[in-house]
Amino acid sequence: MRPPGYVLQDMLLSPQAERNWESLCCVLEDVLENQSHRQLFALELGSGTGQHVIRFAQKMPFVTWQPSDITQECLDSIKAYIAATRLKTVLQPVQLDAGQPWEQWAGVSRGSCDIIAAINLVQYCSFKTAQGVFTGAGQVLKQNGLLLTYGVFAINGTITPACNEKLDSELRKLNPEWGLPDMDVLRQLAYTNGLRLERIIEMEDFFKCLIFRKT
């Protein structure tokens, strides 16, 4: 049995998540404004610390969230946030590698999701995993379901401004397979999997939200 106080010890804190959760929540509330009359189901890929999914659930009680991550440390952190907030609309996190075939996505079934969120994921993963995000989204999203991706992106093979070039270089030093993905490549991946890029939303610090819809 784990000792008392383990919940606080397991909680990870991301300063970036604390800074951007509110603006991301506004985007989600905007794209879902006509659907708050029914209970929706959302899958978050790469939930990280769990701060985002907890905040989203607090602001949007009409969405049931399934958080996921690949590392045990993050899964423990998400569990700690759920325990601390006692939210009923956040399910226990599942271990999920988005680069694996969607059939291995921890029991998530075809056509079961209204929303998939991938926040700061596609720049911190290999191209194979990015492909997996879109392939899986094409399978597990319902008709007219939404895939939200948030991050910094290259445009037509060009990365601007200089701070984004620096970020791309730093990511590639950490892992040669990481780096800022090109929006046009993601658009093509989406199209191949029955999704279309519906909106590009400019965010703070040159970040963007790309909203894809299952057609």
Side-chain angles (χ1 to χ4, degrees):
M1 181 175 291
R2 308 184 75 175
Y6 79 87
V7 168
L8 291 177
Q9 293 170 10
D10 284 343
M11 281 182 174
L12 302 176
L13 182 66
S14 163
Q16 186 183 38
E18 278 302 297
R19 288 195 304 270
N20 65 27
W21 76 263
E22 196 164 9
S23 58
L24 282 165
C25 201
C26 286
V27 169
L28 279 166
E29 288 178 309
D30 183 43
V31 298
L32 298 175
E33 64 175 346
N34 296 323
Q35 300 188 58
S36 59
H37 62 283
R38 63 191 185 95
Q39 197 68 27
L40 304 177
F41 182 75
L43 169 66
E44 185 182 26
L45 299 173
S47 296
T49 63
Q51 290 162 263
H52 282 134
V53 73
I54 291 298
R55 295 288 198 175
F56 296 163
Q58 289 171 330
K59 295 283 283 185
M60 291 173 282
F62 60 94
V63 182
T64 297
W65 289 89
Q66 174 61 76
S68 72
D69 206 89
I70 197 170
T71 69
Q72 190 59 50
E73 183 183 32
C74 287
L75 295 173
D76 289 341
S77 180
I78 299 163
K79 289 176 184 176
Y81 276 103
I82 294 171
T85 57
R86 300 182 180 180
L87 284 165
K88 303 300 184 186
T89 56
V90 183
L91 305 178
Q92 288 300 306
V94 293
Q95 192 163 42
L96 189 157
D97 180 353
Q100 295 298 313
W102 72 272
E103 294 92 342
Q104 298 177 31
W105 280 18
V108 179
S109 57
R110 179 184 271 124
S112 63
C113 298
D114 297 285
I115 313 147
I116 296 176
I119 299 168
N120 283 326
L121 175 63
V122 291
Q123 65 264 50
Y124 289 91
C125 68
S126 67
F127 182 67
K128 179 191 174 212
T129 299
Q131 284 179 305
V133 170
F134 285 88
T135 302
Q139 295 293 328
V140 304
L141 279 175
K142 296 178 182 177
Q143 194 72 12
N144 292 316
L146 298 173
L147 167 64
L148 179 149
T149 62
Y150 169 84
V152 184
F153 305 94
I155 303 174
N156 294 323
T158 302
I159 298 175
T160 57
C163 60
N164 288 352
E165 287 188 88
K166 181 180 178 182
L167 174 60
D168 183 68
S169 176
E170 289 173 349
L171 289 172
R172 293 182 188 281
K173 285 178 184 175
L174 289 171
N175 189 323
E177 293 191 319
W178 293 0
L180 305 190
D182 194 289
M183 283 204 303
D184 289 318
V185 173
L186 298 185
R187 190 200 307 259
Q188 185 58 45
L189 278 177
Y191 178 78
T192 302
N193 290 285
L195 306 167
R196 64 178 172 84
L197 180 58
E198 185 172 85
R199 292 172 68 180
I200 300 172
I201 302 170
E202 299 291 337
M203 307 290 281
E204 69 289 332
D205 300 327
F206 307 106
F207 280 70
K208 292 178 172 61
C209 272
L210 309 183
I211 309 293
F212 300 89
R213 186 176 294 275
K214 173 79 176 289
T215 56

